[in-house]
Amino acid sequence: MLRSKIFSRNLFSNILQYKIDIVFPPVSVYVNNLNNVQKRFAGHNKWSKVKYVKGPKDLERGILFTKLSKEIQLAIKLGGPDPALNVRLAAALVSAKRAHMPKDNVENSIKKALGQGKAENIENITYEGYGPGGVAFIIETVTDNKNRTVKDIKHYFAKAGGSMSTVSWMFDKKGTIQFNPGSTQDTIDKMMDNAIEVNGVEDIQELEDNSLEHCSPQITCPPSSVNAIYEELTKKHNYEVIRTSSGYIPTSTVKIDEDDKELVEKFTRFMNNLNDHEDIVKVHNNAE
C-alpha cells in the first residue's frame, strides 16, 4: 500500500483522472439455474425496475454523492489509495465521474480516507431479513454510523410487515460483470456469443438497466473469476465493462401476486425506502 505522504499534487491528479471501465454501485442478478450454460437467459423480471439501486436520474444527487463519497473512503481503507491496484477504488472513481460528482467532493473524500480531513469511521455491513410477502432480502451498506443504519433498516422491515433474520442460506454468492459494445459495433447477440466462450462464465443474460437506458449483457461467474473475465472482455474483444460485483443469487424464489395491490404497493414502497437510503448500496432479493 502506498504511504499517504507520497500523495503529491501530481499523484493526486492521476488518481482523479484514472480510468477503468467498471462502475459502482453494481446491481443484483436474478438467476434460477447457474449449472446450465446458456446463450441467453431471460433473468430479469417484472420487479427489475425496483430491484436495482437507482441511478443519477432517479436518486437525489445529494444522496448519490454521499453514497459515492463513502464508497471512495471505504475502498481506500480496504485496498489502498492506488486505483491501478485497487479495483474497488477505480470503480468508485469512475462511478463518481459518470454521476458528475464535483471534483472537490471527490478530493475531499480521498483526503478524509488519507487522514487529511475530518475522518469518518466508514464500515461495510450487510443486513438480512424477510420483507413484504416473505421475500428474502440481503442489504449491503456503507455507513459512518451503524447504529443509525440498523435502526432505519429495522424500521423499514417492521413497517413493511417483515423482520430482520438470517436469509443468506437462500442465496449463492456469485460474481457479476455487465458490459456493452464499447468501441465495437457488435450486436447484443454477438457480444453474448463471444462472452459465453470466455473461461469461467457460468451464465449470461440480457439485462435491462434503467440507469443506462438500454439493455446490455451481464455475466454470472465465480467471484474469483471476475478479474480474468474482465481482462478478456476488455482486451480481447474491446468491450466496455460498466459494472462488476459479487452478488447474491437466490437458490429459490417467492412469487409476488400482482393482483394483490396492497402487497405490490407495500413491496414497492419498501424497495424505494431501501434504494433512497444514503447508506444502502446494494439490495438483493428473491422475488419472482
Side-chain angles (χ1 to χ4, degrees):
M1 181 183 298
L2 299 178
R3 295 181 180 178
S4 299
K5 67 179 183 179
I6 70 173
F7 264 78
S8 62
R9 180 178 299 273
N10 288 338
L11 180 55
F12 192 82
S13 176
N14 287 340
I15 288 178
L16 294 179
Q17 294 176 6
Y18 184 84
K19 295 182 178 180
I20 186 168
D21 297 321
I22 50 181
V23 174
F24 175 91
V27 297
S28 59
V29 185
Y30 173 80
V31 178
N32 279 327
N33 186 353
L34 294 172
N35 296 318
N36 297 325
V37 176
Q38 305 172 12
K39 171 185 174 183
R40 182 181 297 275
F41 183 82
H44 62 277
N45 56 40
K46 50 186 166 290
W47 304 110
S48 62
K49 291 186 178 180
V50 293
K51 283 177 64 177
Y52 305 136
V53 176
K54 294 182 179 180
K57 292 184 179 180
D58 303 315
L59 193 61
E60 289 292 334
R61 288 168 62 86
I63 296 177
L64 178 61
F65 292 165
T66 299
K67 289 176 184 277
L68 291 170
S69 176
K70 290 177 181 177
E71 174 61 18
I72 290 170
Q73 293 177 64
L74 181 64
I76 293 175
K77 176 181 177 181
L78 296 177
D82 187 352
L85 302 176
N86 186 343
V87 172
R88 184 164 184 167
L89 174 59
L93 293 175
V94 170
S95 185
K97 182 177 180 180
R98 287 175 179 267
H100 304 293
M101 185 175 178
K103 184 177 179 180
D104 287 346
N105 292 35
V106 178
E107 291 178 351
N108 289 335
S109 300
I110 295 173
K111 288 178 179 178
K112 286 180 180 179
L114 297 173
Q116 299 174 11
K118 185 179 179 181
E120 298 176 350
N121 184 26
I122 304 295
E123 298 180 85
N124 201 167
I125 306 174
T126 300
Y127 300 97
E128 305 173 31
Y130 291 98
V135 174
F137 282 85
I138 295 180
I139 302 165
E140 298 185 59
T141 70
V142 175
T143 178
D144 58 356
N145 187 334
K146 63 181 180 182
N147 292 329
R148 176 196 64 215
T149 304
V150 69
K151 180 181 177 181
D152 290 345
I153 293 176
K154 281 183 177 179
H155 173 70
Y156 294 155
F157 273 111
K159 191 174 181 180
S163 63
M164 296 183 70
S165 180
T166 302
V167 300
S168 56
W169 58 273
M170 301 171 64
F171 296 79
D172 286 332
K173 195 165 187 179
K174 293 289 181 178
T176 61
I177 304 172
Q178 188 180 351
F179 60 102
N180 65 30
S183 60
T184 75
Q185 300 298 317
D186 288 356
T187 63
I188 289 287
D189 287 339
K190 179 64 174 176
M191 287 190 291
M192 295 178 81
D193 285 341
N194 287 336
I196 203 63
E197 299 299 327
V198 177
N199 186 43
V201 173
E202 293 182 341
D203 213 330
I204 187 168
Q205 66 179 132
E206 185 177 337
L207 183 70
E208 180 181 353
D209 190 322
N210 297 325
S211 66
L212 297 174
E213 298 183 333
H214 60 74
C215 293
S216 58
Q218 179 164 279
I219 286 170
T220 302
C221 63
S224 59
S225 299
V226 168
N227 288 343
I229 294 173
Y230 166 82
E231 290 290 323
E232 184 156 352
L233 289 177
T234 56
K235 294 183 177 180
K236 180 178 179 179
H237 297 292
N238 295 317
Y239 294 149
E240 179 185 38
V241 173
I242 52 180
R243 289 192 180 96
T244 68
S245 79
S246 292
Y248 292 88
I249 312 302
T251 56
S252 61
T253 60
V254 175
K255 185 175 179 59
I256 297 291
D257 184 1
E258 290 184 87
D259 295 327
D260 188 338
K261 294 183 179 180
E262 182 179 354
L263 176 58
V264 171
E265 181 179 347
K266 186 179 294 187
F267 185 89
T268 303
R269 186 186 306 116
F270 180 69
M271 282 300 306
N272 286 338
N273 285 336
L274 296 179
N275 286 335
D276 288 343
H277 196 288
E278 65 181 25
D279 297 337
I280 296 173
V281 293
K282 302 180 193 175
V283 177
H284 313 271
N285 68 61
N286 68 341
E288 179 177 341

